[in-house]
């Protein structure tokens, strides 16, 4: 007596409950889709790594897009400025990941990435300050200045802390948070064609407060960490 042929993939054997068969097919379909998606991602990643694209090229492109965003702000094309700023900022986050993934990263590339990040944020905020200055909004201009100084200090405190051997990633106004707040302000600024919104000035005020608070958070964090380390060194061995 010959054995029965195996059931086709996705089909339940004869005599099986039709309800269970209908439950198996969607699971098999989802598993197949997941495998295909994983294969496509792997293929795209390998092709990207084999290409001539470098992390530095991504960093420079992100910087260029932020310069474009600043120019668009001066022309009061806030919606387009917001889009350019978002895409440029996303590329700033991708260059580091691509560097680690592809193995093409260099010490100079890491230095260039950090330097351009600071320059990009400052350039866009300088254009925003010029816009408020033309409108005669001195309070908003002052808030932009505080935001620029706070953003630089947020980065500096982390760099200085890590030079002392203290990890310092605490705080509310990290780079991604600042990007989100400023993007909202640009996309929903006066005349941005997304309704009657005036969120650019409020976004700047929020950034000024959060960056200042984050600097204080990091200073206190480093102080606690160093004091703890000093107490540990001062404790005599048992």
């Amino acid at each position: 007596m010959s054995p029965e042929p195996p059931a086709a993939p996705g089909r339940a054997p004869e005599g099986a409950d039709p309800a269970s068969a209908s439950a198996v097919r969607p699971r098999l379909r989802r598993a197949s889709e997941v495998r295909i998606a994983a294969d496509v991602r792997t293929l795209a990643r390998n092709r990207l790594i084999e290409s001539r694209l470098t992390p530095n090229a991504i960093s420079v492109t992100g910087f260029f897009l932020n310069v474009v965003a600043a120019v668009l702000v001066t022309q009061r094309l806030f919606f387009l400025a917001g889009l350019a700023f978002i895409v440029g900022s996303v590329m700033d986050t991708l260059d580091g990941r691509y560097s680690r993934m592809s193995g093409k990263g260099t010490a100079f590339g890491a230095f260039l990435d950090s330097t351009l990040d600071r320059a990009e944020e400052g350039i866009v905020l300088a254009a925003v300050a010029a816009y408020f200055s033309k409108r005669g909004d001195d309070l908003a201009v002052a808030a932009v200045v505080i935001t620029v100084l706070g953003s630089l200090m947020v980065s500096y405190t982390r760099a200085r802390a890590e030079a002392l051997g203290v990890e310092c990633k605490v705080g509310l106004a990290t780079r991604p948070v600042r990007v989100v707040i400023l993007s909202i302000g640009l996309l929903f600024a006066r005349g941005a064609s997304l309704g009657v919104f005036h969120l650019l000035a409020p976004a700047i005020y929020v950034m000024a407060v959060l960056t200042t608070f984050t600097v204080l958070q990091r200073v206190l964090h480093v102080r606690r960490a160093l004091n703890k380390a000093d107490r540990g060194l001062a404790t005599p061995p048992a």
Side-chain angles (χ1 to χ4, degrees), residues 84-96:
F85 177 68
I86 290 171
V87 176
S89 299
V90 168
M91 296 193 73
D92 290 337
T93 63
L94 292 179
D95 53 6

Side-chain angles (χ1 to χ4, degrees), residues 4-219:
E4 295 184 2
R11 284 187 65 184
E14 292 184 10
D17 185 4
S20 64
S22 62
V24 168
R25 282 193 292 270
R27 287 199 296 269
L28 292 175
R29 189 180 305 113
R30 284 194 296 269
S32 177
E33 291 172 353
V34 169
R35 286 195 299 271
I36 293 174
D39 291 341
V40 170
R41 285 196 300 269
T42 301
L43 178 61
R45 182 185 63 185
N46 293 339
R47 290 291 178 86
L48 191 61
I49 292 174
E50 294 169 0
S51 70
R52 295 183 179 180
L53 182 65
T54 64
N56 290 352
I58 299 176
S59 299
V60 172
T61 303
F63 174 76
F64 173 75
L65 288 173
N66 277 271
V67 172
V68 171
V71 173
L72 292 171
V73 168
T74 62
Q75 303 302 311
R76 303 193 178 189
L77 299 173
F78 294 110
F79 182 75
L80 295 178
L83 293 180
F85 177 68
I86 290 171
V87 176
S89 299
V90 168
M91 296 193 73
D92 290 337
T93 63
L94 292 179
D95 53 6
R97 294 181 183 179
Y98 179 68
S99 175
R100 293 186 294 271
M101 177 185 71
S102 63
K104 297 179 181 179
T106 61
F108 174 74
F111 167 80
L112 180 66
D113 179 30
S114 299
T115 303
L116 291 182
D117 283 350
R118 305 289 79 75
E120 291 162 1
E121 195 169 9
I123 288 171
V124 175
L125 287 172
V128 173
Y131 162 72
F132 285 131
S133 179
K134 288 182 180 179
R135 293 184 55 200
D137 193 341
D138 295 337
L139 181 60
V141 173
V144 174
V145 174
I146 294 173
T147 299
V148 172
L149 178 60
S151 298
L152 292 175
M153 289 301 298
V154 166
S155 300
Y156 176 79
T157 49
R158 176 179 175 181
R160 192 70 185 95
E162 291 179 350
L164 295 172
V166 178
E167 185 177 10
C168 188
K169 297 180 180 180
V170 301
L172 297 175
T174 57
R175 169 74 170 161
V177 172
R178 299 196 303 271
V179 167
V180 170
I181 295 173
L182 185 54
S183 298
I184 293 173
L186 291 172
L187 292 175
F188 295 93
R190 182 191 299 268
S193 301
L194 287 179
V196 185
F197 299 103
H198 311 290
L199 297 187
L200 184 54
I204 293 298
Y205 295 143
V206 170
M207 291 178 68
V209 172
L210 290 183
T211 53
T212 302
F213 183 70
T214 299
V215 172
L216 294 175
Q217 282 184 295
R218 293 193 168 183
V219 169

